[in-house]
Amino acid sequence: MMIGKKVVPLSCAALLILLAAVPMLVVTVPGASDYPNHLARHHIFAAIGQGTALDRYFIVDWRWVGNLGVDLPVLALSSWLGVEPATRIVSALIAPLTVAGILLLSRSAHGRVTGGAMLALPFAFAQPFLFGFLNYCLSVALALLVAAAWYAKRPGSLHAALAFGLGAIAVWTAHIMGWAILLFLVASAELAMVRSWRDLVHRALRAAPLILPIVPLLVWHAEGGGRLFWYAPHLLQAKAMNFVTALKGLSMPFDLAITASICLGAILAFLWAGGRRLEPRLAAGGGLLLFATLVLPTTVLGSWGADLRLAPVAMMVTIMAIRPAPRPERERLLIMLGASLFVLRAGWTSVHWWQADRALQKRLVLLDEVPRGSRLGFLSAEAGCDNWTLTPNRKLGAYAITRRDAFGNTLFQIPGSDVMTIRQPPDRARWFDGSQDIPVHCPEGAPDRHALGERMRSMAQADFNALWIAGIDSKSVPRLPGYAIVYSRGIDTLLIKQASEPPEPGSIPRPQSAIRWMGAGP
């Protein structure tokens, strides 16, 4: 690869790519927030129809939808490796593929890997990755790779056109938003080079294979449903914060410092680029992605956080558009800055997750006491008052699905966009992601005990035969008639339903209002 006026050995690019895999590979319980839910889904996919208790709780209706990124490769590998190792290995490929996509796209557009591309590398560990949007993040990586191939060599034959069409279908299958990003990148590349109306028509026809996913898209949404579009309240503030929090997830000072350093480096790169030049195709792509981030609803086709997910990609492509400085020493300085920030970002993500992994593994020992095939209600007050750090704590209950074939109430539901659904209508209407959250009073960080008591009663009435209360000192967990504490350590308490017995002193009463709450909807 060309950097500045020197050829950088492939070993250097390979080292950066390998480093991106480290955070997922050094832990047993990855720290991405939604990771436990993805893992549970993969276990359901592998176990459904095999005669386990999961057949009573879930339905899998295999359809071709634009949200299967890590699901399909994990399903292919799980019979050989097991679900947990397969999910971790496939997830570990996402950041390396993203890094490879950035480097290759820069080389295709500029003829070399630039300082701007190096500054964009930390976005491989942006907020969507730490949030655990695994299908989406894989689709972004694939979109960058297909776009790099397009920038390097547009289709000049039927075979090339077919290859790009299949690439677009692969990106769409991973996640529909990745396909949209690919279309933005290719459309901007072609529009930036248009010289006449005839040229515009010719370029549009050449890009036609990339719209092949429109066929499965139409089939999918003819069968699906759900809320298609929704804007978050306080829209202007939310849009601004999408960019400020592009690297959110580890700690506020660290993440904001990395973001500020990237922006400062980008400004320097722009000023030093010699006439303040931008590569027109990437500049147009970055501009389109920035505009899309500003106008895109919060929820698109049932997928929450659409604009939040797009912001880091828009920043990444815009920074990559900056052409290399004419003076090699300046370009080398930017390259060193970008590489240092990437190593720092990857290293701190690895350390942060590794430290949390030891505690998470100890907490999951509780699952040994959960009856196999039971209905486990998970309640979490661990969010506290820190809305910045992203952890899997709110979704830990999903490990009961993976390790005990139990029913859990943390899985996300995307009507019309999901091949896995909860079987029983009452469970499907109420017991999904969000039902586990217990409000916390800030700034003192104390959980709302009234809300906790009502939710425990509701779960008992909904026939959950085990309750895991997380994030609350075990001594503070209220007693529940008919349930006995079988595990109590630190901030985790497990209650198991027992045979009928008289209420214990200090137990939670069952007021009529609790029964009414059960019928009120989520």
Side-chain angles (χ1 to χ4, degrees), residues 142-387:
L142 296 177
L144 292 174
L145 292 170
V146 175
W150 184 276
Y151 278 47
K153 188 177 181 179
R154 301 175 186 85
S157 66
L158 179 61
H159 290 92
L162 179 60
F164 278 108
L166 293 176
I169 288 175
V171 174
W172 181 88
T173 302
H175 197 280
I176 186 173
M177 281 192 63
W179 177 54
I181 291 169
L182 174 61
L183 293 182
F184 278 130
L185 291 175
V186 171
S188 63
E190 297 304 312
L191 289 173
M193 307 304 291
V194 167
R195 297 294 178 264
S196 66
W197 284 106
R198 180 178 296 178
D199 188 29
L200 175 62
V201 173
H202 175 70
R203 290 176 181 273
L205 291 175
R206 186 163 55 189
L210 297 179
I211 65 171
L212 278 178
I214 197 71
V215 176
L217 175 63
L218 292 175
V219 173
W220 166 29
H221 276 285
E223 297 174 350
R227 179 162 60 179
L228 298 182
F229 303 103
W230 174 74
Y231 280 96
H234 311 293
L235 188 59
L236 293 179
Q237 179 183 351
K239 293 294 184 181
M241 290 303 294
N242 285 338
F243 296 100
V244 174
T245 63
L247 295 181
K248 173 183 173 179
L250 299 177
S251 71
M252 183 181 291
F254 175 79
D255 297 339
L256 291 180
I258 294 288
T259 305
S261 299
I262 292 172
C263 293
L264 178 60
I267 292 172
L268 291 176
F270 183 62
L271 295 177
W272 288 355
R276 302 183 181 181
R277 297 173 300 163
L278 295 174
E279 203 284 327
R281 295 171 296 176
L282 288 176
L288 282 176
L289 289 168
L290 288 170
F291 177 75
T293 304
L294 293 175
V295 302
L296 204 62
T298 304
T299 296
V300 175
L301 300 178
S303 182
W304 176 84
D307 53 351
L308 175 148
R309 305 180 197 205
L310 194 58
V313 182
M315 296 171 70
M316 174 202 306
V317 174
T318 302
I319 292 170
M320 290 175 62
I322 302 172
R323 283 181 168 169
R327 294 175 57 177
E329 66 275 12
R330 291 183 175 182
E331 187 69 6
R332 284 196 295 269
L333 179 60
L334 292 169
I335 290 167
M336 291 176 60
L337 175 61
S340 299
L341 291 175
F342 173 72
V343 171
L344 188 61
R345 182 73 177 174
W348 181 238
T349 302
S350 302
V351 171
H352 184 79
W353 283 11
W354 180 76
Q355 290 176 338
D357 178 57
R358 292 178 294 176
L360 291 171
Q361 289 193 62
K362 291 179 181 178
R363 295 183 62 190
L364 289 175
V365 171
L366 171 148
L367 293 176
D368 294 340
E369 306 297 329
V370 174
R372 185 169 292 277
S374 61
R375 288 170 54 84
L376 174 70
F378 181 70
L379 296 175
S380 171
E382 297 186 77
C385 301
D386 178 12
N387 293 321

Side-chain angles (χ1 to χ4, degrees), residues 119-143:
L119 286 171
L121 290 183
F123 287 107
F125 299 105
Q127 182 180 182
F129 181 81
L130 298 180
F131 229 125
F133 298 143
L134 300 183
N135 292 341
Y136 167 76
C137 290
L138 179 58
S139 76
V140 171
L142 296 177

Side-chain angles (χ1 to χ4, degrees), residues 309-502:
R309 305 180 197 205
L310 194 58
V313 182
M315 296 171 70
M316 174 202 306
V317 174
T318 302
I319 292 170
M320 290 175 62
I322 302 172
R323 283 181 168 169
R327 294 175 57 177
E329 66 275 12
R330 291 183 175 182
E331 187 69 6
R332 284 196 295 269
L333 179 60
L334 292 169
I335 290 167
M336 291 176 60
L337 175 61
S340 299
L341 291 175
F342 173 72
V343 171
L344 188 61
R345 182 73 177 174
W348 181 238
T349 302
S350 302
V351 171
H352 184 79
W353 283 11
W354 180 76
Q355 290 176 338
D357 178 57
R358 292 178 294 176
L360 291 171
Q361 289 193 62
K362 291 179 181 178
R363 295 183 62 190
L364 289 175
V365 171
L366 171 148
L367 293 176
D368 294 340
E369 306 297 329
V370 174
R372 185 169 292 277
S374 61
R375 288 170 54 84
L376 174 70
F378 181 70
L379 296 175
S380 171
E382 297 186 77
C385 301
D386 178 12
N387 293 321
W388 190 275
T389 305
L390 296 173
T391 73
N393 292 342
R394 288 183 54 250
K395 313 293 176 66
L396 276 186
Y399 273 90
I401 299 173
T402 304
R403 298 184 178 182
R404 306 301 292 174
D405 288 341
F407 175 79
N409 62 302
T410 70
L411 295 180
F412 42 81
Q413 292 280 284
I414 309 175
S417 304
D418 204 344
V419 297
M420 189 280 296
T421 55
I422 297 172
R423 180 177 291 276
Q424 299 301 327
D427 291 335
R428 189 162 60 244
R430 177 176 295 270
W431 302 116
F432 53 88
D433 189 14
S435 65
Q436 75 273 31
D437 294 330
I438 300 301
V440 174
H441 298 296
C442 293
E444 60 271 18
D448 187 329
R449 289 178 58 82
H450 176 72
L452 172 62
E454 284 210 341
R455 196 68 56 84
M456 290 173 67
R457 288 190 293 269
S458 298
M459 285 184 162
Q461 194 168 4
D463 223 14
F464 284 90
N465 47 1
L467 300 182
W468 177 0
I469 316 300
I472 301 174
D473 186 275
S474 298
K475 297 178 182 178
S476 302
V477 174
R479 297 181 182 180
L480 184 65
Y483 289 76
I485 295 177
V486 300
Y487 181 96
S488 176
R489 177 183 293 179
I491 58 172
D492 294 298
T493 304
L494 179 66
L495 296 86
I496 301 293
K497 191 172 186 178
Q498 304 294 300
S500 298
E501 57 184 19

